[in-house]
Amino acid sequence: MKTLYSPDHALRAVTTELDGGILIEPHERPSRAETSIAQGTWEDRAA
């Protein structure tokens, strides 16, 4: 599976998301992308 990444993804840096009526730390966040990039698991396709 290929995963595409753009620096624009970091613009969505929310601090909470609603899950079952409870505010939680978001699953999808810039730090997760940074970790994946550092591990070489994402292919950078930024223009």
Side-chain angles (χ1 to χ4, degrees):
M1 173 175 35
K2 286 189 178 184
T3 304
L4 304 180
Y5 169 78
S6 164
D8 290 341
H9 287 104
L11 298 175
R12 186 185 184 281
V14 297
T15 57
T16 58
E17 68 181 37
L18 196 59
D19 183 20
I22 300 170
L23 289 174
I24 62 168
E25 182 179 2
H27 299 287
E28 300 299 330
R29 55 189 179 270
S31 62
R32 183 169 178 239
E34 292 163 4
T35 300
S36 295
I37 291 166
Q39 293 175 352
T41 56
W42 285 26
E43 184 175 338
D44 186 357
R45 293 279 179 104

